[in-house]
Amino acid sequence: MSAKLTTGQTAEIAGPKKAFLIPKPEVAASMMNRARRILLVVGSEAIKVKTKDGDLIDTAIRMASSKRITIAATGHISGEFRRRGAVGVHGISIMELGDRLRDPSWSGLDNGGPYDLAVFMGLPYYLEWLVLSGLKNFAPSLRTISLDNTYHPNAGWSLGYSPQEEWIEILDRIVSNLEGAG
Amino acid sequence: MESRESGDLVKRDLSLKIGEFSSTLGVFKDVEIQVGRILEEWEEPLGPTPFPDITALREWDLKLLSRYKPFYMPFCDLCCLCTFGKCDLTGDKRGACGITMAGQQSRIVLLACCIGASAHTEHARAMLNHLIEEYGRDTPLDVALNTNVEAPHTRLVCGFRPRTLRDLDDALSYVESQIVQLLASTATGQEGNNLDYESKVFHVGMLDHVAMEIADIAQISVLGFPKGEPEAPLADLGFGAIDTSKPMILVIGHEVLPSVEIVNYLMDQGLFGEVEVGGLCCTAHDTARYNKRARIIGPISWELRFIRSGIPDVVVIDKQCVRTDVLLECKKIGSPLIATSEMSCHGLPDRTHDEPDKIVEDLVERRIPGALILDPRKVGEVAVKVAMKIAPRREGVRPLGVEESGELAKRCRHCGECTRACPNNLPIMEAMSLARNGDFTLLSSLYDLCVSCGRCESACPEDLPIVSMINAAASKKIAEERSKIRVGRGAIQDVEIREVGRAIVFGEIPGVLALVGCANYPEGGGDVARIAEEFLKRRFIVVASGCAAMAIGMTKDEEGLSLYEKYPGVFDAGGLVNVGSCISNAHITGAAIKIANIFAKRPLRANYEEIADYIYNRVGAVGVAWGAMSQKAASIAAGCWRLGIPVIVGPHGSKYRRMLLGRREREEDWMVYDARTGERVYIGPAPEHLFYAAETVEEAIVMVAKLTMRPNDTSKGRAVKLSHYIDLYQRYYGEMPPDLHLYVRSNADIPFTMRDQVVAALEKAGWVEGKIASPDPTLLERLIRRRL
Ligand code: SF4
Ligand code: SF4
Ligand code: SF4
């Protein structure tokens, strides 16, 4: 599967430290499988992004249930998760979340201790870019992954841009892989 | 000191005075003797911090910053400010000068705020110098009806009561000297600590509000703007309000003097009905304050689209938020450009000292594309004459038509570069695909979401005029774009403050919401009107200024009415108050200051900390700059922070790269003194944040309701505020707010109609009554009246 280094917005180019490109879905899945405590951060645009499961919210729910991952729903999107009957979803704004993720003493949304991996998807491009920058610079012990269909230079690892159909496939393979390992 | 003939003398005396004030309280008496005129005695004694220097309020700043710790989101990992660089500051690396990433981010925030405050200060300076020259130094100030406290910021910060334009000059000199020092601190190898930079950010924000106040009260006093009148007239707003059959002068920017002279010339010549004068951005607000028949076309984001319409026969720019490619755009439609400020000369020949008719001839005959004229009166004459002469010649100039757009769309290569360049990620490529087949619906729908930045056009390899194509597709919508806005009324009257002060401080009026700032909206300006209406219905006081005030007026209901026609302009529950242009923002914070002074009788004069402490703990005011874009918006926000007023920005506001966020779960962060006893008590996270970017408008609406809560709320007031917070949270998040237990202090705080739900939620959260105190709250030890 091809992955080009196309970013969401032309001017948002990377600094000297930039995300590793996730070469194939299995790599993302294995990073997630190896993580101790994952937070899946889902932004307000998830509802507009079509996936095999319906939209990105449905995919997030599927992903979370496969590995008992906690979902942080940003913006006001937690209401939508709730309407779809998802459990274990925490509504928290992206600013409040970013601020806490950089704090190694934060005990997490469920008081279960700090997260070692935060997986991002569905935020407005520039907002995710900035929060990932905050974490890249100020949360050295947190690993971050972006699963959006674009390259996010400030993540630790990021998918690249692919034609929409391919990306839908990639995402599905990541979730299937998690389910297999679940 | 009585010898005050020249401006130089004033400045010399003032710098002496500032130097003296930088030391301790002890020197006050001496200083007062030296600067007798401006620091004359009045009934109010001089407070502790007249003309505060950079560190005078540092302790206060650090108190706030210990609650609201900066969260930095670097927009750039490098620094290239000196030849040691570029330096990579990623993570824990340091620059060659030793600076950290946190230090660098706060430094950039300070730089941005210095730029913003300088813009307002320069504006105030140009305005004041002009008015002094025209009307004399001793021209008295006459700011608002029924008002004694004419200049709350100047009184609070500088410690004197300005009576004339000359007095304003003194205050402005202080602001200017401070900004130079603040800017100096950003030089390589100066400040090293990010919190010290942040304190300086607060300082420049405070100064900015003094500068804005000076600029606005000077123009209100002299130019006959509405003087705090709740029933200020309604003016026409929108593209469709322009009579295109007449010659049209477009004014853009922020400093109203050239526009005033255009209106004066038209009146003097009896031509007002024959020429249209329309404005963009704050100049439009202020021209309409001068004469309500001037049209307000729209906010900054209308600049490209309105020039591209081909309607303006001449474009007059003054300063700030003017597109720097304006000359290029004017050339495209064959309209001359008149630049009127040293701030933006645009490479044009300086014709200030030439005969007006000679300039007119050269412009009409197109010997020059435009002219720089640094004399507002001459601008008035030249602009009118050029518009009238050139209009008939320009009749052939038409904007791009729909059919042509369809043809152009066929050239689209589907590369997607436009969308990648678009800050709002708009589906331009898809719209082009449909347009080439004659379906313009998607292209037309982009009109409401596009901020007209033109980035898509720069990116397009086919050089497609995308903004013009969107305009063409939306031409019907544009023609109908006509509504009403109440012109900027300026200050809030002292009598109004007296009437509502109590209800605000005790929380019975649930909050004061200020909708301010620029037009960099994530999904169009309609969101601002939506926020306004939500809180007007809830009987908040809604104040507005600048582009946000226009955005509110642009949304109409089914009957074609804007919110300005449906809600009164009073500063009272359910009132919608347009204060005016960006510089009128000083009246919004000024109203908060006046609540502390007039209602609560806290001494105002040079008493910054105490007044800020009062506002912070008692006045449920929240600013929302949904489309904040400029450095000016940043410095305005900084002035709010120092006063303890929280500010919410839209998602693009995250690019200011630093938030000030509280941590509600850390009880130790939310302690105050009870001024009655000196006891330190826990008051819950109110207000939770000081600077916050919301991702969605729904999130912002809920956050507004939450941030109005203050430790001083009475139970009745807290119950009202909680009922709005709970109602809105449930509407958008579908559940009870998870932090409810942090805001209910006692059973009496529980909103009556929601009792069962709230009690259940509190039980679940393990709430105990009385854990959260209801003290006479203060952060200032010196305000404790009696020790335990
Ligand atoms: S100012 Fe400091 S960080 Fe910036 S380029 Fe110079 S040495 Fe490097
Ligand atoms: S002009 Fe409009 S469509 Fe083009 S990049 Fe700017 S916001 Fe997007
Ligand atoms: S950048 Fe121009 S050519 Fe490319 S998709 Fe957009 S409109 Fe078409």
Side-chain angles (χ1 to χ4, degrees):
Chain A
M1 276 179 215
S2 70
K4 276 194 300 174
L5 273 183
T6 302
T7 60
Q9 275 172 21
T10 28
E12 312 299 8
I13 53 169
K17 181 180 175 190
K18 45 184 165 291
F20 294 106
L21 194 64
I22 297 171
K24 50 185 185 174
E26 291 68 25
V27 174
S30 100
M31 278 191 285
M32 290 172 74
N33 279 326
R34 281 200 314 268
R36 197 173 33 77
R37 243 168 82 74
I38 305 176
L39 186 65
L40 178 60
V41 185
V42 186
S44 60
E45 295 197 340
I47 198 164
K48 299 184 210 158
V49 182
K50 298 286 153 246
T51 66
K52 270 203 175 163
D53 305 291
D55 62 26
L56 201 48
I57 294 184
D58 297 315
T59 304
I61 294 171
R62 188 178 144 218
M63 196 182 265
S65 54
S66 72
K67 264 200 110 243
R68 277 193 282 127
I69 294 169
T70 306
I71 293 181
T74 69
H76 64 293
I77 207 77
S78 65
E80 188 56 34
F81 277 94
R82 201 152 286 112
R83 274 186 282 281
R84 298 188 195 182
V87 286
V89 177
H90 297 256
I92 181 166
S93 76
I94 188 62
M95 290 299 130
E96 292 176 351
L97 181 65
D99 189 29
R100 283 164 176 77
L101 281 174
R102 62 153 173 166
D103 172 6
S105 69
W106 182 46
S107 58
L109 289 164
D110 54 2
N111 272 321
Y115 302 97
D116 60 340
L117 176 65
V119 180
F120 285 78
M121 52 195 206
L123 283 136
Y125 179 76
Y126 54 89
L127 199 56
E128 188 169 324
W129 195 99
L130 279 154
V131 172
L132 285 169
S133 166
L135 297 175
K136 176 175 88 175
N137 283 290
F138 296 102
S141 52
L142 178 74
R143 286 189 303 146
T144 56
I145 294 180
S146 164
L147 295 182
D148 287 328
N149 187 14
T150 184
Y151 179 65
H152 257 296
N154 290 324
W157 288 79
S158 171
L159 289 178
Y161 169 77
S162 316
Q164 193 65 11
E165 293 311 311
E166 272 183 40
W167 174 77
I168 288 174
E169 199 57 44
I170 290 170
L171 199 64
D172 188 60
R173 275 182 47 193
I174 293 173
V175 188
S176 302
N177 207 293
L178 290 174
E179 285 169 333
Chain B
M1 174 136 325
E2 287 306 320
S3 53
R4 295 253 169 187
E5 292 84 12
S6 77
D8 283 344
L9 242 182
V10 174
K11 279 179 207 136
R12 266 211 306 281
D13 288 352
L14 195 80
S15 57
L16 167 69
K17 177 178 67 214
I18 293 163
E20 292 287 328
F21 273 132
S22 63
S23 54
T24 57
L25 299 182
V27 298
F28 280 8
K29 270 224 147 58
D30 291 349
V31 177
E32 280 201 41
I33 293 162
Q34 289 177 41
V35 292
R37 186 183 64 77
I38 58 167
L39 286 185
E40 63 174 305
E41 276 308 318
W42 94 78
E43 61 278 12
E44 210 171 302
L46 188 63
T49 52
F51 295 103
D53 63 21
I54 289 178
T55 54
L57 295 161
R58 182 170 177 253
E59 229 177 282
W60 169 251
D61 299 336
L62 295 178
K63 279 192 172 82
L64 291 175
L65 290 163
S66 70
R67 249 187 207 182
Y68 306 102
K69 298 198 174 59
F71 172 43
Y72 298 109
M73 299 172 287
F75 213 6
C76 177
D77 296 335
L78 306 174
C79 175
C80 56
L81 286 174
C82 84
T83 70
F84 272 150
K86 293 182 181 176
C87 295
D88 172 12
L89 304 174
T90 312
D92 57 3
K93 292 194 174 79
R94 285 177 185 265
C97 61
I99 203 162
T100 60
M101 182 59 107
Q104 175 69 3
Q105 296 311 304
S106 55
R107 181 187 186 197
I108 299 290
V109 174
L110 176 59
L111 264 174
C113 290
C114 282
I115 294 172
S118 306
H120 289 140
T121 304
E122 187 282 332
H123 178 170
R125 172 55 68 201
M127 172 70 62
L128 201 56
N129 285 357
H130 177 84
L131 295 178
I132 286 176
E133 204 177 299
E134 291 269 316
Y135 299 89
R137 306 186 144 255
D138 296 324
T139 306
L141 298 180
D142 178 10
V143 178
L145 303 168
N146 309 312
T147 292
N148 185 32
V149 183
E150 70 304 284
H153 288 280
T154 307
R155 287 185 180 206
L156 177 65
V157 175
C158 301
F160 73 92
R161 180 165 72 170
R163 293 163 197 272
T164 61
L165 293 181
R166 176 164 73 165
D167 295 341
L168 294 183
D169 194 339
D170 291 339
L172 196 58
S173 300
Y174 156 74
V175 171
E176 288 162 338
S177 73
Q178 289 289 292
I179 293 177
V180 172
Q181 291 186 38
L182 288 162
L183 200 49
S185 78
T186 66
T188 300
Q190 301 257 41
E191 194 56 80
N193 181 284
N194 68 304
L195 291 183
D196 268 314
Y197 265 134
E198 296 293 354
S199 165
K200 291 177 170 68
V201 167
F202 284 20
H203 194 65
V204 79
M206 177 195 72
L207 298 168
D208 190 24
H209 286 245
V210 177
M212 291 190 292
E213 177 174 274
I214 292 170
D216 210 36
I217 67 178
Q219 62 180 9
I220 290 170
S221 296
V222 180
L223 299 177
F225 288 6
K227 295 188 193 300
E229 289 145 41
E231 293 308 315
L234 291 166
D236 284 323
L237 171 68
F239 225 111
I242 303 292
D243 181 347
T244 51
S245 66
K246 296 177 185 170
M248 200 264 157
I249 303 172
L250 171 66
V251 294
I252 312 175
H254 282 75
E255 195 208 278
V256 75
L257 293 167
S259 308
V260 160
E261 294 299 344
I262 291 169
V263 172
N264 286 348
Y265 187 81
L266 287 169
M267 306 269 256
D268 292 348
Q269 305 296 314
L271 293 170
F272 205 78
E274 288 173 44
V275 177
E276 287 283 88
V277 180
L280 289 167
C281 229
C282 285
T283 286
H285 268 302
D286 287 349
T287 313
R289 288 163 91 186
Y290 186 65
N291 189 315
K292 68 166 182 170
R293 281 158 67 197
R295 319 271 186 221
I296 301 176
I297 296 163
I300 177 174
S301 42
W302 261 248
E303 196 168 329
L304 205 51
R305 47 172 76 150
F306 190 73
I307 298 178
R308 295 274 181 92
S309 74
I311 296 170
D313 291 301
V314 57
V315 177
V316 179
I317 57 168
D318 50 83
K319 57 185 56 161
Q320 301 163 26
C321 301
V322 179
R323 286 188 67 95
T324 50
D325 57 358
V326 62
L327 182 59
L328 210 66
E329 292 296 329
C330 286
K331 281 182 182 164
K332 285 185 196 161
I333 60 162
S335 297
L337 176 70
I338 300 178
T340 64
S341 161
E342 290 155 323
M343 292 302 107
S344 38
C345 303
H346 290 272
L348 295 171
D350 186 355
R351 306 292 298 265
T352 308
H353 303 292
D354 291 357
E355 280 302 310
D357 286 329
K358 182 75 187 89
I359 312 173
V360 172
E361 195 190 311
D362 286 351
L363 289 171
V364 173
E365 295 304 326
R366 304 211 162 95
R367 287 183 204 121
I368 46 174
L372 174 67
I373 308 177
L374 301 172
D375 171 352
R377 202 161 281 165
K378 200 170 279 182
V379 171
E381 181 179 347
V382 172
V384 172
K385 286 183 170 168
V386 170
M388 296 191 74
K389 285 197 173 159
I390 212 168
R393 301 193 186 199
R394 288 188 62 261
E395 265 171 7
V397 178
R398 288 277 164 270
L400 193 75
V402 184
E403 273 171 28
E404 283 167 279
S405 292
E407 283 306 306
L408 282 168
K410 291 183 182 156
R411 280 180 27 210
C412 171
R413 300 184 198 168
H414 300 101
C415 64
E417 287 302 315
C418 45
T419 298
R420 289 185 61 217
C422 176
N424 286 337
N425 209 25
L426 296 177
I428 304 159
M429 186 174 82
E430 290 78 359
M432 292 294 171
S433 299
L434 294 172
R436 71 191 305 164
N437 297 318
D439 177 355
F440 293 91
T441 41
L442 184 56
L443 200 55
S444 164
S445 74
L446 299 184
Y447 181 80
D448 301 316
L449 308 173
C450 163
V451 294
S452 277
C453 64
R455 263 163 54 166
C456 49
E457 293 186 359
S458 311
C460 178
E462 284 293 326
D463 288 330
L464 293 178
I466 297 168
V467 175
S468 307
M469 293 166 78
I470 294 174
N471 273 5
S475 54
K476 189 162 168 284
K477 231 187 271 186
I478 291 174
E480 287 164 7
E481 195 176 286
R482 177 177 192 160
S483 56
K484 292 283 183 194
I485 180 171
R486 196 173 295 289
V487 307
R489 58 170 274 184
I492 311 305
Q493 298 180 17
D494 289 7
V495 275
E496 290 175 287
I497 299 287
R498 241 171 244 125
E499 271 161 32
V500 297
R502 186 184 174 79
I504 292 173
V505 169
F506 292 146
E508 287 140 21
I509 289 179
V512 181
L513 166 63
L515 291 166
V516 302
C518 335
N520 192 12
Y521 303 124
E523 292 189 42
D527 282 343
V528 184
R530 179 177 164 197
I531 300 171
E533 187 161 25
E534 181 69 60
F535 290 100
L536 284 166
K537 282 190 196 151
R538 292 173 183 273
R539 312 242 341 126
F540 280 56
I541 301 175
V542 178
V543 287
S545 67
C547 288
M550 296 184 196
I552 290 171
M554 286 184 145
T555 301
K556 294 183 281 189
D557 67 7
E558 314 78 56
E559 281 150 43
L561 297 177
S562 81
L563 291 174
Y564 291 104
E565 293 166 283
K566 296 201 281 188
Y567 291 89
V570 284
F571 189 76
D572 200 345
L576 174 57
V577 183
N578 174 18
V579 288
S581 56
C582 287
I583 51 172
S584 311
N585 278 314
H587 305 305
I588 299 177
T589 40
I593 295 169
K594 293 211 287 189
I595 290 170
N597 175 234
I598 295 170
F599 161 69
K601 307 218 162 24
R602 297 292 179 110
L604 179 54
R605 188 178 182 192
N607 193 27
Y608 195 94
E609 264 188 347
E610 182 177 347
I611 293 287
D613 182 65
Y614 184 92
I615 294 170
Y616 174 59
N617 284 303
R618 289 171 169 78
V619 179
V622 182
V624 173
W626 192 242
M629 171 277 294
S630 66
Q631 300 91 1
K632 292 179 291 169
S635 65
I636 294 170
C640 293
W641 303 329
R642 198 177 228 186
L643 282 172
I645 300 173
V647 178
I648 300 169
V649 285
H652 285 297
S654 58
K655 298 173 199 167
Y656 285 123
R657 75 196 71 194
R658 187 277 273 119
M659 298 289 123
L660 297 170
L661 304 171
R663 291 281 296 270
R664 59 177 167 269
E665 67 274 25
R666 287 189 179 155
E667 283 185 18
E668 65 278 17
D669 286 357
W670 305 99
M671 306 295 283
V672 300
Y673 293 108
D674 186 340
R676 290 180 291 245
T677 61
E679 198 188 347
R680 272 181 78 74
V681 292
Y682 170 66
I683 41 96
E688 189 179 5
H689 304 300
L690 209 48
F691 189 46
Y692 178 91
E695 181 180 342
T696 64
V697 71
E698 294 83 357
E699 178 190 334
I701 288 173
V702 174
M703 188 54 82
V704 167
K706 177 153 81 162
L707 292 183
T708 57
M709 285 187 266
R710 293 293 183 281
N712 191 63
D713 295 338
T714 58
S715 280
K716 193 173 153 204
R718 180 59 64 92
V720 172
K721 293 182 182 188
L722 277 171
S723 68
H724 293 297
Y725 175 47
I726 294 167
D727 182 45
L728 287 164
Y729 197 95
Q730 282 186 315
R731 186 195 300 170
Y732 295 121
Y733 293 81
E735 60 171 347
M736 289 296 271
D739 53 1
L740 192 58
H741 58 289
L742 303 178
Y743 295 101
V744 180
R745 298 161 303 182
S746 70
N747 274 306
D749 287 354
I750 299 175
F752 184 67
T753 53
M754 300 171 166
R755 177 158 286 278
D756 293 347
Q757 284 170 286
V758 173
V759 168
L762 292 177
E763 264 172 27
K764 206 170 136 207
W767 176 79
V768 277
E769 181 163 20
K771 185 178 173 204
I772 308 169
S774 301
D776 178 356
T778 178
L779 299 184
L780 302 172
E781 217 174 330
R782 67 183 166 85
L783 294 186
I784 298 168
R785 294 192 292 276
R786 191 168 53 84
R787 308 243 164 215
L788 273 178

